[in-house]
Amino acid sequence: MKKSTILKATFCVIVSIAMSSCATNSFSKQGNLHGMITDLNGEPVANYSITDANKKIVTSTDDRGFFTLELKDLRRKEFLGHKQNWQSMKFDFSEASINRLYVIQIKNAKDLKNEFENLLEQGNYFLAEKTLSDCEDGAIPQNELAMYKSLIAYKKDDFSEAKRLLNTTMKKTFDFDSSIEFCKYKNLLESKIQETNTGKGE
């Protein structure tokens, strides 16, 4: 199976896995919801924080990727998950059962970048923008996000917006602001804006 197919198939999916009867009884007695967070290969993601609406950490994953939420915390219903260089998530456990283990797969920053670039190349700008929303809150640096948003605007022929976003990246330290690819894009963008203005008679 191709990598892009795997990414789409596992995108933000929460899979409920029934536990053994012994484990089920244990969960019921504790009155807690149990979950596990992994990467796309099933490897555990440690120190992934789950916060409430006030961004207060209510639990975090251990070295094996497991986390526990007390039943009283579930009254809040909605939670946020985040970790630097990992996909941010929104959780709603209001209908969750304490008799199941919830396995949640997330992408790291490299996965998200690859997904965005593939979608951009395919011309699927809507899903590309959706992927960018998953890059917020630490998954990808803000200057890189601005660059990616600039590329989407360029693909949509919104050259003025693309330039504005490009200027945002140039105001900050940017690893490839002097690279050949960056300079080519900058010059191409200037050329497109000039062509557009000439066409309008400006």
Side-chain angles (χ1 to χ4, degrees), residues 135-138 140-147 149 168-169 172:
C135 299
E136 302 286 355
D137 299 326
I140 293 178
Q142 291 298 313
N143 53 351
E144 289 190 48
L145 283 175
M147 180 64 180
K149 290 176 181 177
T168 300
T169 70
K172 302 175 182 179

Side-chain angles (χ1 to χ4, degrees), residues 164-179:
R164 185 190 71 79
L165 290 164
L166 184 67
N167 289 337
T168 300
T169 70
M170 295 173 67
K171 292 177 181 178
K172 302 175 182 179
T173 302
F174 202 45
D175 292 340
F176 49 87
D177 60 358
S178 60
S179 68

